[in-house]
Amino acid sequence: MRAVVVHTFGGPEALELVDVAVPTPGPGQVRIRVSAAAVNPVDAVTRAGALVEAGLMAPRAVTGIGWDVAGEIDELGAGVDRFTLGQRVIGLRDLLDRSLGSYADYLVLDASAVAPAPAGRSAVEAATLPLNGLTALQALDQLALTEGDTLLVTGAAGAVGGFAVEIAARWRGLRVIAQAGDADAELVRRLGAEWVVPREAVDLADAVRALVPGGVDAVLDTAGLGAGALAAVRNRGSFVTVVGGADPIPLRGIRVHHTWISADGAALATLAGYDLTLRVADTLPIEQAVRAHTRLAEGGLRGRIVLTTAPGGGS
């Protein structure tokens, strides 16, 4: 079968399309015939070796690339009875130090990391949900807000930020302030934001406090603003970041958290039932992974590039 891997860290050109053996699921695992795999920023930093440098991943001879997967159950490991052969599923590969990622014809995952695919959505759309949707959901869980509370989401037009706005406003009853550029203001309002603060605002905290005197109950910081966003939170409020190294000092009794994503099939099934807005910037065949990473590095995307595998592409 085909798989995209890295032998030597570097730029997009470090990605190699190789032929490898089809993996076999062990007890409690499933094998997925991959239809689509989203391209995420974490794939780029993995490829570049930044996760090894940061101590988040051990050095290895071959590094698989890709977290998000959408496809069909191809084989069941011993003891798995939650899925059936041919069932459409989505999943998340959160184990970094592996030789195979989701950029492949087949992927083996623990059954606990897999969920039924969202109904009525293509595999390409579904592949954009696991990593970013779970990150948003788990970050909101850490904030422990209740209906009617106020929440500032920074980077609200991004993949994680967009899901956070939509989940918070539509399924948790929160009043959301979205920080976004002028070109994205309509988008974040459509996702459920009650207010929009311009990304270019000179003082984010002042802009937020003009809308919510005293400060918001919480911030979900997807833009890595740290202390600049913490100033928008009321005393003894909550703050969560999803960006490594962006944890501010917990001043004024504010509870500061960091969300480190973990696979969770049950939570993923909940997300699949929410009918969230799934944004696809473009689709490319797996053979064009280098081009996909090059476009990702250029920036300006709204939604994810998704790599696809042709039917019957495995061997």
Side-chain angles (χ1 to χ4, degrees):
M1 73 168 197
R2 301 165 301 170
V4 175
V5 303
V6 171
H7 289 94
T8 303
F9 296 129
E13 69 284 351
L15 298 173
E16 301 178 49
L17 185 67
V18 299
D19 189 60
V20 298
V22 176
T24 300
Q29 296 184 317
V30 299
R31 184 169 69 201
I32 300 170
R33 180 189 288 271
V34 178
S35 297
V39 176
N40 290 288
V42 69
D43 301 338
V45 297
T46 302
R47 180 210 72 226
L51 296 186
V52 171
E53 292 177 4
L56 297 175
M57 189 177 90
R60 54 186 301 107
V62 181
T63 301
I65 303 294
W67 290 53
D68 285 325
V69 63
E72 296 181 352
I73 296 292
D74 177 73
E75 186 175 336
L76 301 171
V80 177
D81 56 10
R82 293 175 46 234
F83 300 101
T84 58
L85 294 178
Q87 183 177 1
R88 295 179 63 248
V89 294
I90 52 177
L92 181 70
R93 182 200 70 124
D94 63 354
L95 295 173
L96 297 174
D97 53 347
R98 291 294 183 271
S99 299
L100 289 176
S102 62
Y103 296 11
D105 286 316
Y106 294 91
L107 179 66
V108 168
L109 292 177
D110 293 341
S112 60
V114 178
R121 300 301 186 94
S122 69
V124 167
E125 292 173 310
T128 66
L129 179 60
L131 175 59
N132 297 293
L134 280 174
T135 300
L137 186 71
Q138 291 172 8
L140 287 168
D141 286 345
Q142 285 188 290
L143 292 174
L145 299 173
T146 59
E147 185 174 355
D149 283 348
T150 52
L151 171 69
L152 166 66
V153 178
T154 70
V160 175
F163 283 136
V165 170
E166 196 165 20
I167 295 167
R170 296 182 177 172
W171 282 275
R172 303 221 168 165
L174 304 180
R175 303 181 69 193
V176 178
I177 301 176
Q179 183 221 27
D182 290 342
D184 294 313
E186 181 181 348
L187 166 66
V188 295
R189 286 194 178 95
R190 191 164 64 245
L191 294 175
E194 185 172 341
W195 304 281
V196 179
V197 172
R199 187 176 58 209
E200 300 79 12
V202 175
D203 191 309
L204 175 62
D206 283 351
V208 170
R209 288 171 177 267
L211 298 171
V212 181
V216 291
D217 295 303
V219 167
L220 198 167
D221 184 19
T222 78
L225 301 183
L230 187 80
V233 183
R234 65 168 173 80
N235 290 5
R236 294 174 296 283
S238 296
F239 181 102
V240 64
T241 181
V242 300
V243 180
D247 309 38
I249 295 172
L251 303 174
R252 298 184 285 112
I254 297 170
R255 298 176 296 280
V256 173
H257 314 275
H258 191 120
T259 294
W260 296 100
I261 182 68
S262 61
D264 185 336
L268 194 51
T270 296
L271 286 171
Y274 278 170
D275 191 29
L276 292 165
T277 301
L278 305 178
R279 294 179 285 164
V280 177
D282 199 3
T283 59
L284 293 170
I286 191 173
E287 295 90 345
Q288 295 188 31
V290 171
R291 180 183 173 194
H293 275 230
T294 300
R295 288 191 57 192
L296 179 67
E298 292 169 351
L301 297 172
R302 285 296 175 260
R304 289 287 179 244
I305 296 175
V306 178
L307 298 177
T308 60
T309 60
S315 61

